Amino acid sequence: MPRPLIIGCRTSALARLQAQLLYDKLIDRTPRPCSVRGTKRLEFPPDEDGFKGIFITGLEAALRTGVIDIAVHSMKDVPGGRELDEDFALHSILPRDNPLDALITGHGAITVHDLPSGGQVATSSPRRQAQLASLRPDLSLVSLRGNVDTRLAKASCFDGIILAACGLTRLGRKDQISSLISIEHMLPAAGQGTLAVQYRREDDDIAELLAPLVDEETQLQTQAERGFLHGFGGDCTSPLAAFASVEKGQVFLRTQHLRSENSRSDAKIEKIEKNIRMVPSQAWEIGVRTGEDLRATSKSRTNLAVESPL
């Protein structure tokens, strides 16, 4: 009997469901028996700067030791500001799901603009917090951590919470969405709505097995958005946003860095944005250059603010 093909993921309900999506696609494509295995990140030591360990260090360790053959991630959670381990290949798979952020209130179909002044909105994402502070500076923003079910269970404690629409939809919780937040008001995180697979680069049979699952448009979006992260030097804890769309044979990339004018809690949020069109073959390269340019612009404005007299 062929050796089983083990698909690894985190232990949350959403992570297992996403791994199951891959399982369902592979089960008829390979004679190898397949199974899904959840891996607790706390079983493995975090890396030196911590954030990567939150999401993928445990799965990479399981890949390296042969405990699993394929790791499934949410692409937005994979660090983009550094080189990934050269021993592993990373690809987006399947068409992208809804990339938008969603407001959950428990009070019907209301929007962010309908929330009461001074209302409490919960999200742990620095990007979402900065975007909300820019859009509705009169709101009170609080941190809310945990998996999707944990956050939804606490939704009644706040005037609203913000979550990724794709996760709610995959979990069958779409009916709990009060409203979707438009790209104009809340540009998504790079890779939001996209599934990622990681595997040992030496495993040519795995690469061949996964190749038919790569969606060309999603792959182009991923290259441009992750190129931007790489060029800027950002990660999933940075107040960065990027969204690429494929329009009339070109890739249109919208990017955003949000920075506070000073360290005060009521400081005004400044949006530094750069939008660019590119041919598909240059998605990664132009994405990287866009990130480098935006980082330079942001740094120059920071220096100017520091040097300006009070």
Side-chain angles (χ1 to χ4, degrees), residues 77-106:
D77 295 336
V78 180
R82 59 162 74 186
E83 293 288 350
L84 292 174
D85 195 313
E86 292 184 356
D87 291 338
F88 306 125
L90 177 75
H91 295 292
S92 62
I93 58 166
L94 307 179
R96 187 178 202 167
D97 282 340
N98 191 334
L100 298 181
D101 290 297
L103 172 68
I104 297 94
T105 67

Side-chain angles (χ1 to χ4, degrees), residues 5 39 72 99 110 122-123 138 157 159 163 201 219 238-239 263 270 289-290:
L5 182 69
T39 302
V72 179
I110 68 173
T123 174
D138 59 320
C157 300
D159 292 282
L163 293 170
R201 194 175 296 277
Q219 185 78 343
S238 304
S263 60
E270 180 184 14
R289 195 182 309 163
T290 302

Side-chain angles (χ1 to χ4, degrees), residues 23-32 208-213:
Y23 173 92
D24 292 342
K25 294 293 183 181
L26 293 183
I27 193 65
D28 295 327
R29 294 178 177 270
T30 175
R32 295 170 62 178
E208 184 177 351
L209 184 63
L210 293 171
L213 302 182

